[in-house]
Amino acid sequence: MTQAEKEQESGKEKDKDKERDKDKEKERDKDKEKEKEKEQQRGVKRPIAPPAIPESAQEQIQSNFVVVIHPGSRTLRLGRATDTLPVTVPHVIARRHKQSGQPRHEDQWLLRDGLNKPESNEQRQNGLKMVEQAIWSKKMSNGVRRTPVSADQARAYNCQIRPAVLDSSSRVKWTNTAHHPQHLVGEEALHVSPSDCYDVHWPVVRGQLNVHSGPGGSLTAVLADLETIWSQVIQKQLEIPLKDLKYYRCILLVPDIYNRQHIKEMVNMLLLNMGFSAIIVHQESVCATFGSGLSSACVVDVGDQKTSLCCVEDGVSHRNSRLCLAYGGSDVTRTFFWLLQRAGFPYRDCQLANRLDCQLLQHLKETFCHLDQDISGLQDHEFQTRFPEAPALLYQVRLGDEKLQASMGLFYPTTFGIVGQKMTSLQHRSQGDSEDPHDEHYLLATQSKQDQSSKSAADRKALCRPGGALDGEMSGQGGIADLSDLPRGCGGGGGGAGSQGDMELGPAQGDCLMGAGDVEEPPSALLSKKSAIMSQFESKALGLDKAILHSIDCCASDETKRKMYSSILVVGGGLMFHGAQDFLLHRIINKMPPSFRRLVDNVEVITRPKDMDPRLISWKGGAVLACLDTTQEMWIHQREWQRFGVRMLRERAACVW
């Protein structure tokens, strides 16, 4: 056999070996598949692999394919992360009646529960007296005290005023509904005629989903309203076809104190119903620091219906410092209307139940109200009314201290006259979710069992010394970790917000938390006391300055508190009054604990960082978030959500879920 023939023969042998190896691999794969089928038949569950970020997600994300959504109580801000400014539309929808003769329903704008109680007017009057006293006690910049102006002085003039006709037609029209659209969104919904067969819904109220017992108030209906509004804005304003959302990602800004069930349903809607490929959920306060370029700040977000406060340090929101006050700019608007009526407001047909009148009052508040102590005395102003099917009218009005008194309602919330409502919210522990069995309740329970076993051994050793069994008595009880959630300012420590008369618990708070003397109380009794303290705290309406002091006082270390006092960031549209920055700074310095006046070099209130509109800062922070490399691991992808559900929020959300 020649050399060439030998080489040819050996090559054939190698090919045969390769074929045999391939056949063996195929047989092994078949065996594995058969084994899997048998396991499934026997009901054996294989372990679920932890979710991994797909390789495609690790590539550089294009910011123009990221949509940032900031849903507010009155305004929706939505846009691509690359946009300079977001699209801003009223967060409202009008839905056509399904049956003729159906009664109309309209969610209220400026009216709210708790205003028509017998005590409401008395509370308003008491609040106004405190405001007048505060105005008189603070001197003007020239060192002279203000001369108070009574409402009667303005009233005598305003009652004589009659409007001048500017034009026989206002050129403002109701929304055209001749083609019977099933729904109208934004400005079109605001201008739908009351005679048309439409219900008007605001899906977000005081920062939370507007779930109520009336028509359109179920969670399913509210989510459907959100989906319709957001989808229409994305299609019409951003010009993105809904079928292309599978190529886009979404960043959703949520309140600092959030309802877990609502967030879960919104994520479900965005990923599964609307079809975004991935989502990041982040808190408004943290995004505000990103948008303003600050590493740490006490973020004060004064919105239209709620005011939220939170201390943020290096991109982390301090849980115990979160506070949400159930009042905002719309309450100032309503109070301003009450003060205008006392001064003989010449537009006498103005009604808080009329949404177009509410728009006018919002405009008057933004135009006339201020927080500048140096502006005093009676001043003449004018305003126009332009309503559909009515002439354009020009009114003259004379006003005095009403413009300052209304704005100061944020610091004296009793002026709002709200009775019997929960005015302050704290971050509560999760109630648990059936889809997420290994949540913090599971961890607390398992940890508690381990602690109890180790504690019993320690107790046996401690029995030989008197009182030894009381050491660390609270540490091993499951659920007592929740005591850290208690408002610190309501005790005696630090002279915080609650020590100024809004929360008179005194040193006894420490006694009822940790037990007085040697009395040992069961965990259930401690928890019931804790809930009683929290409910008492939440029923109080803290003024804005006291709430800031309380939030900062809840920070863990003096160093963190010092950082927060030197960087108080005010965002949102509720405090955009002339003189607000100096006014708030003066009140913070006067009321902060004396011990910190020596430690803090410079107390600073920032109302327009980088000269930006404070209403857009949180949205801008969401856009910045889309460009950061560190956000890669925070994306929740559609497939992961389908497979693991709410567990992904616990694993990926930037805040502690």
Side-chain angles (χ1 to χ4, degrees):
M1 186 180 288
T2 63
Q3 184 67 28
E5 288 174 342
K6 285 180 181 177
E7 288 177 0
Q8 190 175 357
E9 192 68 29
S10 65
K12 287 180 181 177
E13 287 294 329
K14 286 179 182 177
D15 289 341
K16 286 179 182 177
D17 290 341
K18 284 180 183 177
E19 286 177 7
R20 279 196 293 271
D21 290 341
K22 285 181 182 176
D23 291 340
K24 286 179 182 177
E25 284 179 12
K26 286 179 181 177
E27 287 176 8
R28 279 198 294 270
D29 290 341
K30 284 180 182 177
D31 291 341
K32 284 180 182 177
E33 286 176 8
K34 287 178 182 177
E35 187 63 31
K36 281 182 184 176
E37 287 175 7
K38 287 178 182 176
E39 284 181 357
Q40 286 174 357
Q41 289 170 0
R42 292 198 302 267
V44 177
K45 293 183 179 178
R46 299 179 67 80
I48 298 174
I53 302 172
E55 290 181 11
S56 59
Q58 294 173 359
E59 299 168 6
Q60 187 62 39
I61 294 166
Q62 293 178 307
S63 298
N64 59 323
F65 282 90
V66 177
V67 175
V68 182
I69 303 175
H70 185 195
S73 303
R74 280 291 157 259
T75 308
L76 168 67
R77 295 180 177 88
L78 188 151
R80 291 181 176 86
T82 50
D83 293 342
T84 308
L85 298 172
V87 173
T88 302
V89 296
H91 207 183
V92 61
I93 184 171
R95 288 196 178 274
R96 187 170 178 79
H97 290 173
K98 294 180 180 177
Q99 299 172 349
S100 59
Q102 190 175 326
R104 282 188 74 253
H105 172 83
E106 182 167 336
D107 291 343
Q108 294 298 329
W109 182 341
L110 294 181
L111 292 173
R112 58 181 290 175
D113 293 336
L115 294 175
N116 297 320
K117 306 279 183 176
E119 308 94 337
S120 294
N121 194 52
E122 183 185 349
Q123 187 165 302
R124 266 193 292 266
Q125 298 289 352
N126 290 338
L128 185 58
K129 285 178 186 174
M130 288 192 285
V131 167
E132 289 171 344
Q133 175 64 27
I135 291 172
W136 181 83
S137 64
K138 185 177 182 291
K139 294 179 181 178
M140 296 189 289
S141 57
N142 59 6
V144 179
R145 294 193 189 278
R146 284 173 57 104
T147 305
V149 180
S150 72
D152 294 335
Q153 292 175 266
R155 187 180 186 87
Y157 173 84
N158 291 331
C159 287
Q160 301 172 11
I161 294 297
R162 295 294 177 268
V165 178
L166 292 175
D167 195 335
S168 59
S169 171
S170 64
R171 298 189 182 134
V172 176
K173 295 185 177 176
W174 296 116
T175 301
N176 183 7
T177 58
H179 55 299
H180 302 307
Q182 289 304 304
H183 56 260
L184 298 162
V185 165
E187 290 290 347
E188 288 185 337
L190 276 184
H191 287 88
V192 69
S193 172
S195 61
D196 283 339
C197 303
Y198 284 86
D199 288 341
V200 179
H201 300 293
W202 298 88
V204 179
V205 62
R206 278 178 276 291
Q208 305 294 334
L209 296 189
N210 187 13
V211 178
H212 56 85
S213 58
S218 68
L219 181 57
T220 306
V222 173
L223 289 166
D225 288 343
L226 286 179
E227 185 178 346
T228 304
I229 296 170
W230 298 358
S231 297
Q232 187 157 320
V233 174
I234 287 169
Q235 271 187 300
K236 291 191 174 180
Q237 308 276 358
L238 300 189
E239 298 180 347
I240 301 172
L242 294 183
K243 62 182 176 59
D244 290 346
L245 287 183
K246 59 188 175 187
Y247 305 117
Y248 285 79
R249 294 163 182 247
C250 169
I251 293 179
L252 177 66
L253 274 60
V254 300
D256 301 323
I257 296 179
Y258 46 83
N259 183 310
R260 291 170 177 83
Q261 177 67 18
H262 292 178
I263 302 301
K264 169 186 158 185
E265 295 296 342
M266 290 164 75
V267 171
N268 207 54
M269 176 195 78
L270 287 162
L271 289 179
L272 305 186
N273 296 8
M274 294 179 67
F276 281 100
S277 63
I279 190 172
I280 285 177
V281 176
H282 219 320
Q283 290 166 300
E284 293 169 333
S285 61
V286 180
C287 288
T289 60
F290 290 151
S292 57
L294 299 171
S295 60
S296 301
C298 175
V299 180
V300 184
D301 185 351
V302 187
D304 184 76
Q305 294 192 356
K306 57 95 179 167
T307 299
S308 58
L309 302 98
C310 180
C311 293
V312 178
E313 188 175 21
D314 299 324
V316 177
S317 158
H318 286 281
R319 176 186 179 126
N320 288 342
S321 69
R322 295 177 203 162
L323 201 64
C324 184
L325 310 172
Y327 60 78
S330 61
D331 297 286
V332 175
T333 305
R334 190 182 58 254
T335 302
F336 186 45
F337 176 55
W338 172 62
L339 294 169
L340 287 174
Q341 286 180 309
R342 290 173 79 245
F345 190 42
Y347 172 37
R348 292 172 183 85
D349 294 331
C350 190
Q351 299 289 332
L352 289 176
N354 184 322
R355 79 184 92 93
L356 297 185
D357 285 345
C358 290
Q359 272 190 301
L360 171 68
L361 290 170
Q362 282 282 79
H363 172 69
L364 294 181
K365 177 198 73 175
E366 292 166 5
T367 307
F368 298 151
C369 288
H370 62 85
L371 281 168
D372 189 344
Q373 291 271 136
D374 289 348
I375 301 175
S376 62
L378 288 170
Q379 292 179 318
D380 290 342
H381 304 275
E382 60 181 33
F383 65 94
Q384 298 178 17
T385 60
R386 292 181 179 272
F387 299 127
E389 302 171 357
L393 302 175
L394 176 68
Y395 287 88
Q396 304 288 331
V397 62
R398 181 171 289 177
L399 297 174
D401 288 344
E402 292 83 9
K403 300 172 291 183
L404 176 59
Q405 290 167 345
S407 311
M408 287 183 66
L410 292 169
F411 301 89
Y412 297 92
T414 48
T415 315
F416 298 143
I418 304 164
V419 175
Q421 300 294 305
K422 181 177 174 180
M423 295 301 293
T424 305
S425 299
L426 302 167
Q427 182 73 65
H428 289 275
R429 292 283 183 182
S430 165
Q431 296 303 306
D433 193 301
S434 58
E435 292 181 20
D436 186 16
H438 299 101
D439 59 4
E440 60 181 329
H441 291 280
Y442 169 82
L443 295 174
L444 278 171
T446 51
Q447 185 179 8
S448 132
K449 287 175 185 175
Q450 293 170 356
D451 288 350
Q452 282 173 2
S453 60
S454 58
K455 177 178 171 291
S456 60
D459 285 348
R460 283 194 295 273
K461 292 179 183 177
L463 285 174
C464 57
R465 70 177 193 273
L470 292 176
D471 293 349
E473 190 67 42
M474 313 314 297
S475 62
Q477 306 295 341
I480 300 300
D482 290 8
L483 293 173
S484 62
D485 295 343
L486 274 159
R488 289 180 54 167
C490 53
S499 62
Q500 305 270 342
D502 287 272
M503 196 61 191
E504 301 292 345
L505 293 184
Q509 181 200 347
D511 293 343
C512 57
L513 289 188
M514 302 310 293
D518 293 330
V519 178
E520 183 179 346
E521 295 193 56
S524 57
L526 286 165
L527 286 175
S528 63
K529 284 189 176 182
K530 176 210 161 185
S531 56
I533 291 170
M534 291 186 82
S535 62
Q536 186 180 351
F537 180 79
E538 291 182 336
S539 67
K540 303 293 180 182
L542 288 177
L544 186 59
D545 48 349
K546 293 181 182 179
I548 292 170
L549 292 167
H550 170 86
S551 181
I552 294 175
D553 188 50
C554 285
C555 293
S557 68
D558 286 352
E559 176 60 25
T560 304
K561 293 177 187 178
R562 190 185 63 77
K563 280 186 194 176
M564 298 304 145
Y565 276 119
S566 60
S567 183
I568 298 170
L569 174 65
V570 182
V571 298
L575 198 66
M576 291 178 64
F577 302 120
H578 174 67
Q581 185 173 10
D582 293 337
F583 187 90
L584 180 57
L585 179 63
H586 177 267
R587 291 186 71 91
I588 294 294
I589 290 174
N590 280 356
K591 296 197 175 189
M592 67 188 290
S595 56
F596 277 100
R597 287 182 197 161
R598 294 189 296 272
L599 290 175
V600 180
D601 301 328
N602 182 32
V603 178
E604 188 174 3
V605 173
I606 306 160
T607 53
R608 295 186 74 90
K610 302 179 181 177
D611 206 28
M612 288 170 57
D613 185 337
R615 294 171 293 190
L616 306 180
I617 288 173
S618 292
W619 181 90
K620 200 69 181 173
V624 169
L625 189 68
C627 308
L628 299 177
D629 293 335
T630 51
T631 59
Q632 296 281 0
E633 60 191 25
M634 291 162 58
W635 289 105
I636 299 171
H637 296 269
Q638 191 185 83
R639 252 186 259 170
E640 293 173 333
W641 182 261
Q642 286 173 322
R643 186 175 179 188
F644 298 102
V646 74
R647 281 177 285 176
M648 294 308 302
L649 281 169
R650 182 162 51 83
E651 295 295 330
R652 299 275 173 82
C655 49
V656 178
W657 183 254

